[in-house]
């Protein structure tokens, strides 16, 4: 069944209402006309029913067509209104059209006959306009949707023309490179790269394959900081398939790259530490076996009852020295393990520094005489002023290790040690004329398990823990 076209006709003249009704029903049986002869009835019908169109006289008792237009505009502006009146004034017609009338028809037999056609034309126009409005609303909604995506997307979308000028870029560029979108549009993309060769490499791949995926580049942020990004790109073409530029996206991978670099550095450090420990174990096993072999070997010889007394005394001295050396090595290993476990404690007592220096001088003087090396020490404070709180054992261990190294690596010249008073602290020193340490190893020689010599043909020997222990003790003492 064909749907009726609901029409509300407002006119206070019953003859005019009948004239219009007869003309419309004769032309189209789909018209269903509801009549109103007053403002009260007009507004009631408008509130109670939906209408496709309104016909209104211009001059109505109590109100006029302009008021009808205003009421329709306020209640339901989507309903078209046609003014049907005997007033043929052009001024009235213009006024009505300005306010919102869809058309204006004169009450004459000629014009009333064409009213049905006018209504159909107005309804067709309304339908077309509704479709246009719906399409515009959908387009606007779609644009808003993609604008929100564009503005809120995490990756950076960009468009570059054939002159390498940035024509479009998403606001997310701010998070990646600290630039606002407006600051980059119109600028040259090349200035945005940290290394222009990376762009040349990317363009080369794009030229060969027509597309680039996950190409890592370094970009310059506004602050000057270098940022890592993963780049995608493909050519843009117009309707004639002519290349007009490049578009694609950038993804921030800066944190990932730095994390990867940290992992690589940690891996290398772990491998280096593992190699150092392996080298240390090889060396320390050699250092332990050397005195142990001497102890075992010469102890066996001493069991010979026919061994001359002089040799027996010499072999006994070797056993004692080897035992002392072995004890020192084991003590160093135990101490470094205790420090690494955080179990080493300070024991502060009043210590006479000058007397300890004299003790160290007496202890190392035989080695100086044996190697024909000059040996002396310097104390700045008087004996009465040289008493301070120290962990005596650790203090002596530090200087003993340093002096031991000095004599080990010095074949001629001199070894000296002492201290200076500097403001409110003492600066201790050990100097020698030995082989020295290469500049690139000045820091690393204090690391645990690190030795200047790591080859199988080491000349000087030693566990390699002395400087590490000394550094740890100095730090524990607040030095």
């Amino acid at each position: 069944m064909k749907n009726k076209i609901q029409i509300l006709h407002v006119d206070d003249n019953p003859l005019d209402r009948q004239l219009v009704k007869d003309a419309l029903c004769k032309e189209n049986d789909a018209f269903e006309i509801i009549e109103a002869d007053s403002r009260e009835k007009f507004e009631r019908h408008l509130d109670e029913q939906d209408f496709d169109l309104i016909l209104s006289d211009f001059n109505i008792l109590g109100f006029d067509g302009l008021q009808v237009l205003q009421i329709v505009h306020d209640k339901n502006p989507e309903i078209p209104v046609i003014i049907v009146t005997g007033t043929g004034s052009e001024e009235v017609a213009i006024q009505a059209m300005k306010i919102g009338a869809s058309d204006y028809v004169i009450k004459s037999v000629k014009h009333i006959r064409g009213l049905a056609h006018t209504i159909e034309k107005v309804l067709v126009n309304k339908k077309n306009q509704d479709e246009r409005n719906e399409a515009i609303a959908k387009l606007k909604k779609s644009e808003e949707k993609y604008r929100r995506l564009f503005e809120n997307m995490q990756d950076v979308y960009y468009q570059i023309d054939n002159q390498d000028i940035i024509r479009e870029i998403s606001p997310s560029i701010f998070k990646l490179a600290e630039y606002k979108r407006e600051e980059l549009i119109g600028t040259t993309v090349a200035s945005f790269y940290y290394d222009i060769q990376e762009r040349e490499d990317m363009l080369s791949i794009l030229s060969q394959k027509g597309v680039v995926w996950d190409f890592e580049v370094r970009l310059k942020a506004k602050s000057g900081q270098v940022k890592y990004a993963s780049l995608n790109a493909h050519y843009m073409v117009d309707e004639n398939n002519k290349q007009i530029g490049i578009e694609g996206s950038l993804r921030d991978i800066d944190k990932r790259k730095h994390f990867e670099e940290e992992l690589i550095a940690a891996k290398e450090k772990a491998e280096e530490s593992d190699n150092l420990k392996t080298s240390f174990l090889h060396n320390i096993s050699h250092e332990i076996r050397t005195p142990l072999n001497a102890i075992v070997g010469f102890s066996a010889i001493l069991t010979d009852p026919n061994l001359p007394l002089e040799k027996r005394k010499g072999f006994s001295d070797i056993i004692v020295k080897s035992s002392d050396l072995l004890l020192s090595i084991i003590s160093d290993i135990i101490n470094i393990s205790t420090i690494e476990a955080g179990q080493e404690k300070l024991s502060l007592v009043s210590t006479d520094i000058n007397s300890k220096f004299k003790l160290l001088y007496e202890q190392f003087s035989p080695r100086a005489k044996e190697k024909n090396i000059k040996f002396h020490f310097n104390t700045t404070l008087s004996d009465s002023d040289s008493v301070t709180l120290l962990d005596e054992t650790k203090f002596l261990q530090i200087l003993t290790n340093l002096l031991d190294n000095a004599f080990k690596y010095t074949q001629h010249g001199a070894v000296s040690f002492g201290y200076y008073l500097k403001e409110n602290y003492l600066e201790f020193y050990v100097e020698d004329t030995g082989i020295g340490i290469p500049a690139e190893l000045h820091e690393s020689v204090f690391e645990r398990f690190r030795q200047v010599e790591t080859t199988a043909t080491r000349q000087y020997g030693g566990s390699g823990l002395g400087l590490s222990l000394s550094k740890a003790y100095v730090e524990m003492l607040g030095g």
Side-chain angles (χ1 to χ4, degrees):
M1 180 179 177
K2 185 177 181 182
N3 292 331
K4 292 286 187 176
I5 297 172
Q6 302 293 321
I7 298 174
L8 177 59
H9 184 198
V10 188
D11 196 325
D12 58 353
N13 189 324
L15 295 177
D16 287 345
R17 293 199 305 271
Q18 189 62 45
L19 175 66
V20 169
K21 185 174 183 180
D22 291 343
L24 292 180
C25 292
K26 183 179 179 181
E27 292 293 327
N28 192 335
D29 61 0
F31 293 137
E32 183 174 319
I33 301 170
I34 307 297
E35 296 177 350
D37 59 4
S38 66
R39 177 170 185 164
E40 181 183 358
K41 290 181 181 180
F42 165 66
E43 291 193 20
R44 187 176 72 245
H45 286 309
L46 198 59
D47 290 336
E48 294 175 351
Q49 187 174 343
D50 293 329
F51 292 95
D52 297 304
L53 182 133
I54 293 173
L55 298 174
S56 176
D57 189 10
F58 193 81
N59 294 310
I60 310 168
L61 185 63
F63 74 127
D64 58 30
L66 298 182
Q67 290 175 300
V68 169
L69 288 168
Q70 187 60 52
I71 292 169
V72 173
H73 179 271
D74 293 340
K75 289 180 178 291
N76 195 338
E78 299 298 320
I79 303 176
V81 179
I82 298 175
I83 300 297
V84 183
T85 183
T87 303
S89 169
E90 184 178 342
E91 181 180 344
V92 172
I94 292 173
Q95 188 178 5
M97 298 294 280
K98 281 184 176 179
I99 292 178
S102 298
D103 211 331
Y104 188 91
V105 178
I106 303 298
K107 284 183 185 178
S108 67
V109 175
K110 176 184 176 182
H111 290 96
I112 290 297
R113 287 176 180 172
L115 181 57
H117 176 71
T118 300
I119 291 173
E120 291 170 356
K121 183 184 70 173
V122 167
L123 291 175
V124 168
N125 288 339
K126 179 182 181 299
K127 180 182 178 183
N128 292 338
Q129 185 60 46
D130 288 345
E131 290 176 350
R132 281 196 296 272
N133 290 341
E134 184 179 358
I136 291 171
K138 287 182 178 179
L139 179 61
K140 185 177 180 181
K141 187 175 181 181
S142 177
E143 287 178 347
E144 289 176 352
K145 173 184 176 183
Y146 285 104
R147 174 58 59 183
R148 287 194 299 271
L149 287 173
F150 180 72
E151 291 177 350
N152 297 315
M153 65 190 300
Q154 295 299 310
D155 289 353
V156 178
Y157 170 79
Y158 66 86
Q159 286 185 345
I160 302 165
D161 64 20
N162 288 333
Q163 284 70 48
D164 280 350
I165 302 299
I166 299 174
R167 293 305 176 190
E168 183 59 275
I169 195 162
S170 60
S172 48
I173 189 63
F174 183 80
K175 187 176 180 181
L176 173 63
E178 303 158 12
Y179 285 102
K180 292 182 179 178
R181 172 175 172 268
E182 296 76 15
E183 292 179 283
L184 291 178
I185 291 178
T187 63
T188 306
V189 70
S191 61
F192 196 41
Y193 279 77
Y194 174 75
D195 185 352
I196 194 62
Q197 184 59 48
E198 291 177 355
R199 174 164 172 77
E200 297 300 324
D201 294 342
M202 183 276 292
L203 290 175
S204 176
I205 296 172
L206 183 61
S207 176
Q208 295 171 21
K209 299 183 178 180
V211 65
V212 172
W213 293 105
D214 297 329
F215 185 85
E216 289 187 5
V217 294
R218 289 170 295 170
L219 305 177
K220 288 186 289 187
K222 190 175 182 179
S223 62
Q225 186 179 1
V226 178
K227 293 291 191 78
Y228 286 93
S230 175
L231 179 147
N232 298 332
H234 61 266
Y235 289 119
M236 293 189 298
V237 295
D238 60 15
E239 61 274 9
N240 298 317
N241 207 35
K242 181 180 178 181
Q243 181 183 321
I244 58 173
I246 298 171
E247 70 176 348
S249 64
L250 294 167
R251 174 164 293 181
D252 187 347
I253 60 169
D254 198 61
K255 289 183 179 179
R256 190 190 82 191
K257 286 296 294 183
H258 287 301
F259 183 65
E260 288 175 357
E261 290 173 355
E262 289 173 1
L263 281 178
I264 292 171
K267 177 176 177 291
E268 291 175 349
K269 188 173 183 179
E271 290 175 347
E272 180 187 19
S273 177
D274 187 59
N275 291 336
L276 287 173
K277 287 182 179 180
T278 300
S279 177
F280 167 77
L281 290 173
H282 287 159
N283 292 334
I284 204 69
S285 63
H286 170 76
E287 295 299 324
I288 291 174
R289 283 197 302 271
T290 299
L292 192 58
N293 288 337
I295 293 170
V296 173
F298 286 107
S299 295
I301 296 175
L302 287 178
T303 60
D304 183 358
N306 299 319
L307 187 67
L309 182 61
E310 185 178 345
K311 285 189 176 183
R312 186 181 297 276
K313 183 179 181 305
F315 292 161
S316 296
D317 290 341
I318 292 174
I319 291 173
V320 171
K321 289 181 179 179
S322 297
S323 299
D324 290 340
L325 178 58
L326 182 60
L327 182 62
S328 175
I329 293 170
I330 293 173
S331 178
D332 282 349
I333 295 172
I334 293 172
N335 289 340
I336 204 71
S337 299
T338 305
I339 291 171
E340 285 192 330
Q343 296 176 349
E344 191 73 25
K345 306 296 181 183
L346 288 177
S347 178
L348 300 178
V349 295
S350 293
T351 303
D352 182 352
I353 296 173
N354 287 357
S355 66
K356 300 306 172 187
F357 268 54
K358 294 173 183 175
L359 178 65
L360 288 168
Y361 178 77
E362 292 173 359
Q363 178 182 337
F364 283 93
S365 288
R367 291 182 63 177
K369 186 176 181 181
E370 180 184 343
K371 301 185 74 171
N372 196 25
I373 292 174
K374 295 179 181 178
F375 182 47
H376 64 277
F377 69 96
N378 173 59
T379 55
T380 302
L381 299 174
S382 65
D383 290 348
S384 60
D385 292 331
S386 68
V387 179
T388 186
L389 278 177
L390 275 177
D391 186 313
E392 183 178 314
T393 302
K394 291 179 176 57
F395 172 69
L396 288 173
Q397 183 70 53
I398 293 167
L399 289 175
T400 298
N401 287 340
L402 297 178
L403 285 168
D404 187 62
N405 275 352
F407 279 101
K408 182 192 295 185
Y409 296 107
T410 301
Q411 302 306 320
H412 53 79
V415 172
S416 63
F417 69 108
Y419 64 86
Y420 301 107
L421 178 62
K422 291 195 173 183
E423 296 178 356
N424 61 341
Y425 66 92
L426 298 176
E427 181 178 276
F428 296 88
Y429 69 90
V430 174
E431 295 178 346
D432 64 70
T433 57
I435 63 172
I437 300 173
E440 65 271 14
L441 295 178
H442 280 185
E443 295 293 333
S444 60
V445 291
F446 292 100
E447 297 175 9
R448 295 179 178 91
F449 312 117
R450 171 78 72 173
Q451 294 171 295
V452 174
E453 290 186 299
T454 57
T455 62
T457 57
R458 295 193 311 143
Q459 179 179 353
Y460 295 98
S463 67
L465 293 176
L467 290 180
S468 179
L469 280 169
S470 297
K471 179 175 182 290
Y473 287 158
V474 167
E475 290 174 346
M476 288 180 69
L477 290 168

